Amino acid sequence: MDFADSDTDLAFRREVGGWLDGALADVPDQEELTQDEREHWSRVWQDRLCAGNWAGLSWPVAHGGRGMDALAQAVFNEEAAVRGAPYPLNGVGMMLAGPTIIAHGTDAQQARHLPGILRGDEYWCQGFSEPGSGSDLASLTTAATRVDGGWRINGAKIWTSNAHNASRCLLLARTDPAAPKHQGITYFLAPMDGFTVRSLVMINGDTEFNEMFLDDVFVADDDVLGGVGNGWTVALTTLAFERGSMALNLWVWARQAVDRLIDVAVERGVADDSAFVDAVGALQCDAEAVRIGSMRMLGESRAGGVPGPETSALKSLWARVVQNANRLAVQLDEAGGVLVDGAGAAARMRRYLRARAHTIEGGTEEVQKSILAERVLRLPRSR
């Protein structure tokens, strides 16, 4: 496989880099900010992406996008991540809601929602996971009952990013409890009116996730996406877009974690310690493996293929690199039995605590290993 950029890709990468360097000139280091400050800059960054026509790179021109392929979006994400750009506040809208509506929406739904996403007027969240249905998403129990003109929905969702800012939700609910679990689900483009949103406090003190409660929330028939009972198929489309949009980000985040670890070692005067060099060498190799795996996945997608179980191996390896790099950084701060004070040490502790979630969110480590065991090694199902 050729890992080098084509001439066209290289020219686009330079175009992206030039714009990013200017657009990020006044943006502070996100690692040193509070959550409220990070959220402020995420909103500012979202506005700049929309104003600069970078919000819908892979959307068709007919829907207001630039008609580029998924690799172009991945390259943009990679260059933004390398420069420490804020995560756009409407990432769910740009990366998931818009493409899913383009793939499955009616003309009326596309006209109603796509312009608002590109302008930054309509913010979205993703209402998939439930208190009892995370990794086994098809077991969801949020119920939608047909009423005149639409549906009454009751249930709860959890681990919903950006729900406190969203005006719309990509919502899965069960519309036919008698059908097999994958067949009785419907996908809704639900307005957030009537949702009760509560923040979840994480171990590092942040509240980026939410739980949502739906009590007789009305959603109109016009907001059913892909047809009643076809929600599982539409949801798989959303999840595929989610994997693709993150492809090149993962290796950047892994490498950044390793680079920060090296900076701490230099600061502490242990960069030449043989045990440390061995540990960092192993982490660098794993980070490079994440990069190569990401490029392979993008290449397969570009050739018309569908990413398979290798995405589970990629996610698992990335999580391990980031967790171990952050753990070692904190251990260096604690060298000699004294925890180092200061903003840098506090940021490292916050990253270490946040990294614990990487083997839970987006499919737990146990689920990733089960996928590899069943689909690659052909072992019997574990559940």
Side-chain angles (χ1 to χ4, degrees):
M1 179 176 178
D2 185 3
F3 293 102
D5 286 331
S6 67
D7 290 344
T8 300
D9 293 337
L10 183 59
F12 177 69
R13 189 181 291 276
R14 288 170 176 162
E15 177 192 354
V16 169
W19 182 84
L20 287 170
D21 289 340
L24 290 168
D26 64 337
V27 177
D29 183 354
Q30 301 297 293
E31 295 292 336
E32 305 301 327
L33 303 181
T34 66
Q35 181 181 336
D36 287 343
E37 290 169 336
R38 292 196 301 273
E39 192 166 289
H40 162 75
W41 282 105
S42 289
R43 189 180 295 276
V44 170
W45 188 238
Q46 180 68 57
D47 292 341
R48 291 181 184 180
L49 292 176
C50 293
N53 195 26
W54 297 98
L57 288 178
S58 59
W59 293 23
V61 174
H63 294 300
R66 292 176 60 172
M68 307 183 82
D69 63 14
L71 180 61
Q73 184 65 67
V75 166
F76 183 91
N77 293 350
E78 179 187 24
E79 292 296 316
V82 165
R83 290 165 173 79
Y87 188 79
L89 196 60
N90 199 25
V92 172
M94 294 190 304
M95 305 295 182
L96 305 184
T100 304
I101 293 169
I102 290 171
H104 294 281
T106 64
D107 291 343
Q109 288 172 331
Q110 292 169 355
R112 187 161 64 245
H113 297 297
L114 298 180
I117 295 173
L118 289 182
R119 290 194 305 267
D121 297 337
E122 193 171 84
Y123 280 55
W124 290 75
C125 64
Q126 182 180 359
F128 282 20
S129 296
E130 296 183 4
S133 302
S135 299
D136 184 14
L137 181 59
S139 66
L140 63 89
T141 59
T142 293
T145 304
R146 183 176 286 283
V147 296
D148 186 27
W151 304 80
R152 288 285 177 191
I153 304 181
N154 290 274
K157 299 291 180 177
I158 200 167
W159 310 123
T160 309
S161 302
N162 205 39
H164 56 295
N165 291 310
S167 57
R168 287 269 172 177
C169 178
L170 302 174
L171 181 68
L172 294 181
R174 190 164 300 283
T175 49
D176 185 356
K181 66 179 184 178
H182 291 87
Q183 299 175 21
I185 297 170
T186 297
Y187 197 117
F188 296 93
L189 306 174
M192 293 289 288
D193 301 329
F195 283 55
T196 299
V197 178
R198 298 177 186 167
S199 297
L200 295 169
V201 180
M202 299 166 60
I203 193 173
N204 67 348
D206 286 349
T207 55
E208 63 185 83
F209 295 112
N210 303 272
E211 54 184 345
M212 304 189 302
F213 300 93
L214 296 82
D215 297 306
D216 281 339
V217 171
F218 176 78
V219 180
D221 283 326
D222 288 344
D223 289 322
V224 172
L225 182 65
V228 175
N230 295 324
W232 186 253
T233 298
V234 182
L236 291 179
T237 300
T238 301
L239 295 173
F241 285 128
E242 186 174 35
R243 288 194 299 268
S245 67
M246 288 290 104
L248 287 183
N249 292 46
L250 293 183
W251 92 263
V252 173
W253 293 335
R255 187 53 197 253
Q256 286 174 332
V258 177
D259 288 345
R260 285 192 294 262
L261 170 61
I262 294 173
D263 290 341
V264 177
V266 171
E267 182 182 339
R268 299 285 174 266
V270 297
D272 294 328
D273 179 84
S274 59
F276 174 78
V277 170
D278 288 345
V280 170
L283 289 171
Q284 287 178 322
C285 288
D286 285 344
E288 180 66 8
V290 173
R291 184 186 74 86
I292 293 172
S294 298
M295 293 296 294
R296 176 186 175 188
M297 187 176 75
L298 280 170
E300 185 175 355
S301 297
R302 202 176 199 182
V306 178
E310 65 273 10
T311 58
S312 292
L314 198 62
K315 193 264 185 182
S316 181
L317 182 59
W318 162 76
R320 188 165 67 247
V321 171
V322 176
Q323 286 180 347
N324 287 339
N326 282 295
R327 175 178 54 80
L328 284 173
V330 170
Q331 287 176 334
L332 289 178
D333 281 339
E334 295 173 333
V338 178
L339 182 62
V340 177
D341 291 327
R348 287 189 284 274
M349 179 59 75
R350 186 176 68 246
R351 285 193 293 266
Y352 165 73
L353 294 173
R354 177 62 181 85
R356 302 312 303 160
H358 294 337
T359 44
I360 301 172
E361 60 194 350
T364 66
E365 183 71 1
E366 291 78 8
V367 167
Q368 307 301 338
K369 289 180 177 179
S370 291
I371 291 172
L372 293 171
E374 294 165 10
R375 298 178 58 185
V376 177
L377 301 178
R378 304 298 181 185
L379 295 176
R381 290 183 63 87
S382 59
R383 61 195 184 282

mmCIF file of all heavy atoms in Angstrom, residues 226-272:
data_model
loop_
_atom_site.group_PDB
_atom_site.id
_atom_site.type_symbol
_atom_site.label_atom_id
_atom_site.label_comp_id
_atom_site.label_asym_id
_atom_site.label_seq_id
_atom_site.Cartn_x
_atom_site.Cartn_y
_atom_site.Cartn_z
ATOM 1 N N GLY A 226 -35.845 7.378 7.154
ATOM 2 C CA GLY A 226 -35.626 6.063 6.560
ATOM 3 C C GLY A 226 -36.793 5.115 6.657
ATOM 4 O O GLY A 226 -36.682 3.949 6.243
ATOM 5 N N GLY A 227 -37.904 5.555 7.206
ATOM 6 C CA GLY A 227 -39.085 4.703 7.293
ATOM 7 C C GLY A 227 -39.227 4.016 8.637
ATOM 8 O O GLY A 227 -38.239 3.694 9.307
ATOM 9 N N VAL A 228 -40.457 3.771 9.037
ATOM 10 C CA VAL A 228 -40.752 3.106 10.307
ATOM 11 C C VAL A 228 -40.214 1.674 10.274
ATOM 12 O O VAL A 228 -40.412 0.935 9.308
ATOM 13 C CB VAL A 228 -42.275 3.105 10.575
ATOM 14 C CG1 VAL A 228 -42.598 2.305 11.830
ATOM 15 C CG2 VAL A 228 -42.792 4.529 10.702
ATOM 16 N N GLY A 229 -39.516 1.279 11.335
ATOM 17 C CA GLY A 229 -38.972 -0.067 11.433
ATOM 18 C C GLY A 229 -37.627 -0.266 10.774
ATOM 19 O O GLY A 229 -37.039 -1.354 10.872
ATOM 20 N N ASN A 230 -37.111 0.763 10.117
ATOM 21 C CA ASN A 230 -35.819 0.648 9.428
ATOM 22 C C ASN A 230 -34.690 1.335 10.195
ATOM 23 O O ASN A 230 -33.629 1.620 9.634
ATOM 24 C CB ASN A 230 -35.919 1.263 8.026
ATOM 25 C CG ASN A 230 -36.878 0.510 7.132
ATOM 26 O OD1 ASN A 230 -36.975 -0.715 7.218
ATOM 27 N ND2 ASN A 230 -37.605 1.230 6.298
ATOM 28 N N GLY A 231 -34.903 1.580 11.469
ATOM 29 C CA GLY A 231 -33.941 2.351 12.246
ATOM 30 C C GLY A 231 -32.575 1.708 12.374
ATOM 31 O O GLY A 231 -31.563 2.406 12.421
ATOM 32 N N TRP A 232 -32.544 0.370 12.424
ATOM 33 C CA TRP A 232 -31.246 -0.288 12.597
ATOM 34 C C TRP A 232 -30.350 -0.060 11.380
ATOM 35 O O TRP A 232 -29.156 0.230 11.516
ATOM 36 C CB TRP A 232 -31.432 -1.779 12.851
ATOM 37 C CG TRP A 232 -30.155 -2.477 13.179
ATOM 38 C CD1 TRP A 232 -29.443 -3.334 12.391
ATOM 39 C CD2 TRP A 232 -29.382 -2.328 14.381
ATOM 40 N NE1 TRP A 232 -28.303 -3.743 13.023
ATOM 41 C CE2 TRP A 232 -28.245 -3.151 14.261
ATOM 42 C CE3 TRP A 232 -29.563 -1.594 15.558
ATOM 43 C CZ2 TRP A 232 -27.280 -3.255 15.253
ATOM 44 C CZ3 TRP A 232 -28.616 -1.701 16.561
ATOM 45 C CH2 TRP A 232 -27.484 -2.517 16.402
ATOM 46 N N THR A 233 -30.924 -0.152 10.190
ATOM 47 C CA THR A 233 -30.161 0.082 8.966
ATOM 48 C C THR A 233 -29.634 1.509 8.923
ATOM 49 O O THR A 233 -28.468 1.753 8.583
ATOM 50 C CB THR A 233 -31.040 -0.183 7.734
ATOM 51 O OG1 THR A 233 -31.447 -1.558 7.736
ATOM 52 C CG2 THR A 233 -30.291 0.122 6.452
ATOM 53 N N VAL A 234 -30.482 2.475 9.290
ATOM 54 C CA VAL A 234 -30.058 3.878 9.288
ATOM 55 C C VAL A 234 -28.980 4.106 10.348
ATOM 56 O O VAL A 234 -28.004 4.828 10.124
ATOM 57 C CB VAL A 234 -31.265 4.808 9.519
ATOM 58 C CG1 VAL A 234 -30.826 6.267 9.456
ATOM 59 C CG2 VAL A 234 -32.346 4.552 8.477
ATOM 60 N N ALA A 235 -29.142 3.464 11.508
ATOM 61 C CA ALA A 235 -28.154 3.620 12.581
ATOM 62 C C ALA A 235 -26.784 3.096 12.158
ATOM 63 O O ALA A 235 -25.750 3.689 12.498
ATOM 64 C CB ALA A 235 -28.628 2.887 13.837
ATOM 65 N N LEU A 236 -26.753 1.997 11.416
ATOM 66 C CA LEU A 236 -25.475 1.466 10.934
ATOM 67 C C LEU A 236 -24.793 2.471 10.003
ATOM 68 O O LEU A 236 -23.563 2.578 9.987
ATOM 69 C CB LEU A 236 -25.692 0.137 10.215
ATOM 70 C CG LEU A 236 -26.107 -1.044 11.100
ATOM 71 C CD1 LEU A 236 -26.310 -2.297 10.252
ATOM 72 C CD2 LEU A 236 -25.090 -1.305 12.201
ATOM 73 N N THR A 237 -25.576 3.192 9.220
ATOM 74 C CA THR A 237 -25.007 4.242 8.373
ATOM 75 C C THR A 237 -24.349 5.317 9.224
ATOM 76 O O THR A 237 -23.222 5.748 8.950
ATOM 77 C CB THR A 237 -26.110 4.873 7.500
ATOM 78 O OG1 THR A 237 -26.692 3.867 6.664
ATOM 79 C CG2 THR A 237 -25.548 5.980 6.639
ATOM 80 N N THR A 238 -25.038 5.751 10.274
ATOM 81 C CA THR A 238 -24.485 6.765 11.173
ATOM 82 C C THR A 238 -23.189 6.278 11.806
ATOM 83 O O THR A 238 -22.194 7.016 11.879
ATOM 84 C CB THR A 238 -25.498 7.121 12.271
ATOM 85 O OG1 THR A 238 -26.704 7.603 11.669
ATOM 86 C CG2 THR A 238 -24.942 8.188 13.204
ATOM 87 N N LEU A 239 -23.175 5.029 12.268
ATOM 88 C CA LEU A 239 -21.982 4.487 12.921
ATOM 89 C C LEU A 239 -20.819 4.365 11.941
ATOM 90 O O LEU A 239 -19.653 4.558 12.321
ATOM 91 C CB LEU A 239 -22.309 3.128 13.548
ATOM 92 C CG LEU A 239 -23.321 3.174 14.703
ATOM 93 C CD1 LEU A 239 -23.689 1.754 15.138
ATOM 94 C CD2 LEU A 239 -22.783 3.967 15.882
ATOM 95 N N ALA A 240 -21.118 4.072 10.677
ATOM 96 C CA ALA A 240 -20.058 4.006 9.668
ATOM 97 C C ALA A 240 -19.453 5.385 9.436
ATOM 98 O O ALA A 240 -18.226 5.533 9.311
ATOM 99 C CB ALA A 240 -20.611 3.441 8.360
ATOM 100 N N PHE A 241 -20.289 6.418 9.384
ATOM 101 C CA PHE A 241 -19.774 7.781 9.241
ATOM 102 C C PHE A 241 -18.944 8.165 10.470
ATOM 103 O O PHE A 241 -17.936 8.864 10.347
ATOM 104 C CB PHE A 241 -20.925 8.772 9.058
ATOM 105 C CG PHE A 241 -21.544 8.746 7.696
ATOM 106 C CD1 PHE A 241 -22.917 8.607 7.535
ATOM 107 C CD2 PHE A 241 -20.759 8.867 6.560
ATOM 108 C CE1 PHE A 241 -23.496 8.585 6.281
ATOM 109 C CE2 PHE A 241 -21.333 8.845 5.294
ATOM 110 C CZ PHE A 241 -22.698 8.706 5.154
ATOM 111 N N GLU A 242 -19.362 7.695 11.635
ATOM 112 C CA GLU A 242 -18.622 8.000 12.860
ATOM 113 C C GLU A 242 -17.225 7.407 12.804
ATOM 114 O O GLU A 242 -16.232 8.059 13.165
ATOM 115 C CB GLU A 242 -19.384 7.468 14.073
ATOM 116 C CG GLU A 242 -18.776 7.841 15.409
ATOM 117 C CD GLU A 242 -19.650 7.411 16.568
ATOM 118 O OE1 GLU A 242 -20.306 6.342 16.474
ATOM 119 O OE2 GLU A 242 -19.688 8.123 17.577
ATOM 120 N N ARG A 243 -17.110 6.152 12.362
ATOM 121 C CA ARG A 243 -15.791 5.514 12.249
ATOM 122 C C ARG A 243 -14.907 6.248 11.243
ATOM 123 O O ARG A 243 -13.733 6.505 11.496
ATOM 124 C CB ARG A 243 -15.947 4.047 11.842
ATOM 125 C CG ARG A 243 -16.487 3.142 12.926
ATOM 126 C CD ARG A 243 -16.275 1.686 12.548
ATOM 127 N NE ARG A 243 -16.956 1.332 11.315
ATOM 128 C CZ ARG A 243 -18.186 0.835 11.244
ATOM 129 N NH1 ARG A 243 -18.869 0.622 12.360
ATOM 130 N NH2 ARG A 243 -18.732 0.525 10.087
ATOM 131 N N GLY A 244 -15.487 6.594 10.090
ATOM 132 C CA GLY A 244 -14.701 7.246 9.057
ATOM 133 C C GLY A 244 -14.202 8.618 9.463
ATOM 134 O O GLY A 244 -13.062 8.986 9.173
ATOM 135 N N SER A 245 -15.031 9.393 10.151
ATOM 136 C CA SER A 245 -14.637 10.749 10.518
ATOM 137 C C SER A 245 -13.517 10.763 11.537
ATOM 138 O O SER A 245 -12.749 11.728 11.637
ATOM 139 C CB SER A 245 -15.851 11.520 11.060
ATOM 140 O OG SER A 245 -16.283 10.983 12.303
ATOM 141 N N MET A 246 -13.386 9.687 12.306
ATOM 142 C CA MET A 246 -12.368 9.628 13.346
ATOM 143 C C MET A 246 -11.061 8.987 12.876
ATOM 144 O O MET A 246 -10.072 8.980 13.613
ATOM 145 C CB MET A 246 -12.896 8.820 14.539
ATOM 146 C CG MET A 246 -13.968 9.516 15.359
ATOM 147 S SD MET A 246 -13.314 10.915 16.304
ATOM 148 C CE MET A 246 -13.912 12.286 15.296
ATOM 149 N N ALA A 247 -11.032 8.471 11.656
ATOM 150 C CA ALA A 247 -9.938 7.597 11.232
ATOM 151 C C ALA A 247 -8.558 8.182 11.489
ATOM 152 O O ALA A 247 -7.736 7.575 12.172
ATOM 153 C CB ALA A 247 -10.098 7.241 9.757
ATOM 154 N N LEU A 248 -8.271 9.348 10.927
ATOM 155 C CA LEU A 248 -6.927 9.896 11.076
ATOM 156 C C LEU A 248 -6.744 10.648 12.396
ATOM 157 O O LEU A 248 -5.615 10.910 12.804
ATOM 158 C CB LEU A 248 -6.588 10.810 9.895
ATOM 159 C CG LEU A 248 -6.321 10.090 8.578
ATOM 160 C CD1 LEU A 248 -5.917 11.071 7.490
ATOM 161 C CD2 LEU A 248 -5.255 9.015 8.723
ATOM 162 N N ASN A 249 -7.839 11.002 13.057
ATOM 163 C CA ASN A 249 -7.707 11.652 14.363
ATOM 164 C C ASN A 249 -7.053 10.737 15.378
ATOM 165 O O ASN A 249 -6.276 11.184 16.219
ATOM 166 C CB ASN A 249 -9.085 12.069 14.900
ATOM 167 C CG ASN A 249 -9.712 13.171 14.087
ATOM 168 O OD1 ASN A 249 -9.721 13.112 12.866
ATOM 169 N ND2 ASN A 249 -10.230 14.185 14.758
ATOM 170 N N LEU A 250 -7.366 9.444 15.316
ATOM 171 C CA LEU A 250 -6.900 8.533 16.354
ATOM 172 C C LEU A 250 -5.390 8.505 16.442
ATOM 173 O O LEU A 250 -4.811 8.573 17.526
ATOM 174 C CB LEU A 250 -7.440 7.119 16.093
ATOM 175 C CG LEU A 250 -8.945 6.926 16.231
ATOM 176 C CD1 LEU A 250 -9.304 5.457 16.018
ATOM 177 C CD2 LEU A 250 -9.449 7.378 17.586
ATOM 178 N N TRP A 251 -4.723 8.404 15.298
ATOM 179 C CA TRP A 251 -3.266 8.296 15.363
ATOM 180 C C TRP A 251 -2.652 9.615 15.826
ATOM 181 O O TRP A 251 -1.632 9.620 16.532
ATOM 182 C CB TRP A 251 -2.696 7.844 14.029
ATOM 183 C CG TRP A 251 -2.287 8.931 13.079
ATOM 184 C CD1 TRP A 251 -3.016 9.430 12.045
ATOM 185 C CD2 TRP A 251 -1.031 9.625 13.060
ATOM 186 N NE1 TRP A 251 -2.307 10.408 11.394
ATOM 187 C CE2 TRP A 251 -1.086 10.551 11.999
ATOM 188 C CE3 TRP A 251 0.119 9.574 13.840
ATOM 189 C CZ2 TRP A 251 -0.036 11.405 11.688
ATOM 190 C CZ3 TRP A 251 1.171 10.432 13.531
ATOM 191 C CH2 TRP A 251 1.086 11.326 12.477
ATOM 192 N N VAL A 252 -3.272 10.747 15.439
ATOM 193 C CA VAL A 252 -2.757 12.037 15.897
ATOM 194 C C VAL A 252 -2.865 12.142 17.410
ATOM 195 O O VAL A 252 -1.925 12.549 18.096
ATOM 196 C CB VAL A 252 -3.518 13.201 15.221
ATOM 197 C CG1 VAL A 252 -3.092 14.543 15.822
ATOM 198 C CG2 VAL A 252 -3.251 13.201 13.721
ATOM 199 N N TRP A 253 -4.021 11.763 17.949
ATOM 200 C CA TRP A 253 -4.210 11.827 19.398
ATOM 201 C C TRP A 253 -3.240 10.884 20.105
ATOM 202 O O TRP A 253 -2.728 11.211 21.177
ATOM 203 C CB TRP A 253 -5.640 11.483 19.751
ATOM 204 C CG TRP A 253 -6.637 12.497 19.276
ATOM 205 C CD1 TRP A 253 -6.394 13.826 19.016
ATOM 206 C CD2 TRP A 253 -8.012 12.284 18.981
ATOM 207 N NE1 TRP A 253 -7.530 14.448 18.591
ATOM 208 C CE2 TRP A 253 -8.549 13.533 18.553
ATOM 209 C CE3 TRP A 253 -8.849 11.175 19.034
ATOM 210 C CZ2 TRP A 253 -9.891 13.684 18.193
ATOM 211 C CZ3 TRP A 253 -10.180 11.334 18.682
ATOM 212 C CH2 TRP A 253 -10.689 12.571 18.257
ATOM 213 N N ALA A 254 -2.991 9.714 19.509
ATOM 214 C CA ALA A 254 -2.040 8.784 20.115
ATOM 215 C C ALA A 254 -0.638 9.379 20.115
ATOM 216 O O ALA A 254 0.084 9.338 21.129
ATOM 217 C CB ALA A 254 -2.060 7.446 19.365
ATOM 218 N N ARG A 255 -0.226 9.934 18.971
ATOM 219 C CA ARG A 255 1.113 10.503 18.890
ATOM 220 C C ARG A 255 1.262 11.721 19.806
ATOM 221 O O ARG A 255 2.321 11.935 20.414
ATOM 222 C CB ARG A 255 1.436 10.877 17.445
ATOM 223 C CG ARG A 255 2.890 11.316 17.250
ATOM 224 C CD ARG A 255 3.841 10.255 17.807
ATOM 225 N NE ARG A 255 5.167 10.767 18.015
ATOM 226 C CZ ARG A 255 6.201 10.452 17.242
ATOM 227 N NH1 ARG A 255 6.047 9.625 16.226
ATOM 228 N NH2 ARG A 255 7.388 10.941 17.508
ATOM 229 N N GLN A 256 0.215 12.537 19.909
ATOM 230 C CA GLN A 256 0.278 13.688 20.801
ATOM 231 C C GLN A 256 0.468 13.253 22.248
ATOM 232 O O GLN A 256 1.216 13.898 23.001
ATOM 233 C CB GLN A 256 -0.989 14.535 20.661
ATOM 234 C CG GLN A 256 -1.042 15.347 19.379
ATOM 235 C CD GLN A 256 -2.369 16.064 19.195
ATOM 236 O OE1 GLN A 256 -3.412 15.619 19.680
ATOM 237 N NE2 GLN A 256 -2.341 17.180 18.497
ATOM 238 N N ALA A 257 -0.192 12.171 22.651
ATOM 239 C CA ALA A 257 -0.032 11.674 24.022
ATOM 240 C C ALA A 257 1.406 11.233 24.266
ATOM 241 O O ALA A 257 1.983 11.497 25.326
ATOM 242 C CB ALA A 257 -1.001 10.518 24.272
ATOM 243 N N VAL A 258 2.010 10.569 23.273
ATOM 244 C CA VAL A 258 3.407 10.133 23.405
ATOM 245 C C VAL A 258 4.343 11.336 23.441
ATOM 246 O O VAL A 258 5.277 11.397 24.256
ATOM 247 C CB VAL A 258 3.785 9.182 22.258
ATOM 248 C CG1 VAL A 258 5.263 8.799 22.350
ATOM 249 C CG2 VAL A 258 2.920 7.923 22.292
ATOM 250 N N ASP A 259 4.106 12.318 22.578
ATOM 251 C CA ASP A 259 4.967 13.501 22.547
ATOM 252 C C ASP A 259 4.901 14.275 23.863
ATOM 253 O O ASP A 259 5.926 14.784 24.351
ATOM 254 C CB ASP A 259 4.570 14.407 21.382
ATOM 255 C CG ASP A 259 4.954 13.821 20.025
ATOM 256 O OD1 ASP A 259 5.768 12.875 20.003
ATOM 257 O OD2 ASP A 259 4.428 14.299 19.007
ATOM 258 N N ARG A 260 3.707 14.366 24.440
ATOM 259 C CA ARG A 260 3.589 15.049 25.731
ATOM 260 C C ARG A 260 4.351 14.295 26.817
ATOM 261 O O ARG A 260 4.967 14.903 27.708
ATOM 262 C CB ARG A 260 2.119 15.207 26.115
ATOM 263 C CG ARG A 260 1.371 16.289 25.343
ATOM 264 C CD ARG A 260 0.027 16.604 25.966
ATOM 265 N NE ARG A 260 -0.888 15.491 25.886
ATOM 266 C CZ ARG A 260 -1.834 15.364 24.959
ATOM 267 N NH1 ARG A 260 -1.956 16.306 24.021
ATOM 268 N NH2 ARG A 260 -2.637 14.325 24.942
ATOM 269 N N LEU A 261 4.316 12.980 26.738
ATOM 270 C CA LEU A 261 5.067 12.167 27.702
ATOM 271 C C LEU A 261 6.567 12.456 27.582
ATOM 272 O O LEU A 261 7.259 12.607 28.605
ATOM 273 C CB LEU A 261 4.782 10.688 27.450
ATOM 274 C CG LEU A 261 5.652 9.675 28.210
ATOM 275 C CD1 LEU A 261 5.470 9.836 29.713
ATOM 276 C CD2 LEU A 261 5.307 8.253 27.761
ATOM 277 N N ILE A 262 7.071 12.535 26.362
ATOM 278 C CA ILE A 262 8.497 12.826 26.161
ATOM 279 C C ILE A 262 8.835 14.202 26.735
ATOM 280 O O ILE A 262 9.891 14.386 27.362
ATOM 281 C CB ILE A 262 8.844 12.743 24.668
ATOM 282 C CG1 ILE A 262 8.676 11.303 24.170
ATOM 283 C CG2 ILE A 262 10.265 13.237 24.408
ATOM 284 C CD1 ILE A 262 8.825 11.145 22.669
ATOM 285 N N ASP A 263 7.952 15.183 26.547
ATOM 286 C CA ASP A 263 8.200 16.524 27.089
ATOM 287 C C ASP A 263 8.329 16.488 28.613
ATOM 288 O O ASP A 263 9.190 17.158 29.194
ATOM 289 C CB ASP A 263 7.062 17.465 26.695
ATOM 290 C CG ASP A 263 7.062 17.800 25.208
ATOM 291 O OD1 ASP A 263 8.110 17.604 24.567
ATOM 292 O OD2 ASP A 263 6.007 18.235 24.707
ATOM 293 N N VAL A 264 7.472 15.682 29.267
ATOM 294 C CA VAL A 264 7.553 15.567 30.721
ATOM 295 C C VAL A 264 8.875 14.925 31.133
ATOM 296 O O VAL A 264 9.520 15.351 32.097
ATOM 297 C CB VAL A 264 6.366 14.746 31.273
ATOM 298 C CG1 VAL A 264 6.484 14.571 32.786
ATOM 299 C CG2 VAL A 264 5.046 15.429 30.944
ATOM 300 N N ALA A 265 9.292 13.903 30.393
ATOM 301 C CA ALA A 265 10.548 13.215 30.725
ATOM 302 C C ALA A 265 11.739 14.152 30.600
ATOM 303 O O ALA A 265 12.654 14.137 31.441
ATOM 304 C CB ALA A 265 10.723 12.002 29.823
ATOM 305 N N VAL A 266 11.734 14.972 29.553
ATOM 306 C CA VAL A 266 12.820 15.951 29.388
ATOM 307 C C VAL A 266 12.805 16.938 30.556
ATOM 308 O O VAL A 266 13.851 17.272 31.129
ATOM 309 C CB VAL A 266 12.669 16.683 28.045
ATOM 310 C CG1 VAL A 266 13.653 17.842 27.951
ATOM 311 C CG2 VAL A 266 12.884 15.719 26.881
ATOM 312 N N GLU A 267 11.618 17.395 30.909
ATOM 313 C CA GLU A 267 11.487 18.341 32.026
ATOM 314 C C GLU A 267 11.987 17.740 33.337
ATOM 315 O O GLU A 267 12.590 18.431 34.162
ATOM 316 C CB GLU A 267 10.020 18.757 32.144
ATOM 317 C CG GLU A 267 9.725 19.775 33.240
ATOM 318 C CD GLU A 267 8.237 20.088 33.325
ATOM 319 O OE1 GLU A 267 7.517 19.860 32.331
ATOM 320 O OE2 GLU A 267 7.789 20.560 34.401
ATOM 321 N N ARG A 268 11.757 16.437 33.526
ATOM 322 C CA ARG A 268 12.159 15.767 34.766
ATOM 323 C C ARG A 268 13.599 15.242 34.706
ATOM 324 O O ARG A 268 14.106 14.711 35.673
ATOM 325 C CB ARG A 268 11.209 14.588 35.059
ATOM 326 C CG ARG A 268 9.760 14.986 35.262
ATOM 327 C CD ARG A 268 9.540 15.623 36.627
ATOM 328 N NE ARG A 268 8.187 16.110 36.734
ATOM 329 C CZ ARG A 268 7.806 17.360 36.454
ATOM 330 N NH1 ARG A 268 8.725 18.253 36.089
ATOM 331 N NH2 ARG A 268 6.553 17.715 36.564
ATOM 332 N N GLY A 269 14.232 15.331 33.520
ATOM 333 C CA GLY A 269 15.611 14.889 33.395
ATOM 334 C C GLY A 269 15.797 13.389 33.311
ATOM 335 O O GLY A 269 16.869 12.870 33.647
ATOM 336 N N VAL A 270 14.779 12.671 32.841
ATOM 337 C CA VAL A 270 14.884 11.206 32.763
ATOM 338 C C VAL A 270 14.734 10.703 31.328
ATOM 339 O O VAL A 270 14.514 9.512 31.108
ATOM 340 C CB VAL A 270 13.822 10.529 33.673
ATOM 341 C CG1 VAL A 270 14.067 10.889 35.126
ATOM 342 C CG2 VAL A 270 12.408 10.904 33.242
ATOM 343 N N ALA A 271 14.862 11.597 30.348
ATOM 344 C CA ALA A 271 14.628 11.202 28.956
ATOM 345 C C ALA A 271 15.624 10.170 28.464
ATOM 346 O O ALA A 271 15.352 9.448 27.494
ATOM 347 C CB ALA A 271 14.654 12.434 28.054
ATOM 348 N N ASP A 272 16.787 10.087 29.108
ATOM 349 C CA ASP A 272 17.797 9.124 28.678
ATOM 350 C C ASP A 272 17.786 7.844 29.499
ATOM 351 O O ASP A 272 18.601 6.939 29.259
ATOM 352 C CB ASP A 272 19.192 9.765 28.779
ATOM 353 C CG ASP A 272 19.357 10.915 27.784
ATOM 354 O OD1 ASP A 272 18.755 10.837 26.700
ATOM 355 O OD2 ASP A 272 20.079 11.877 28.114
#
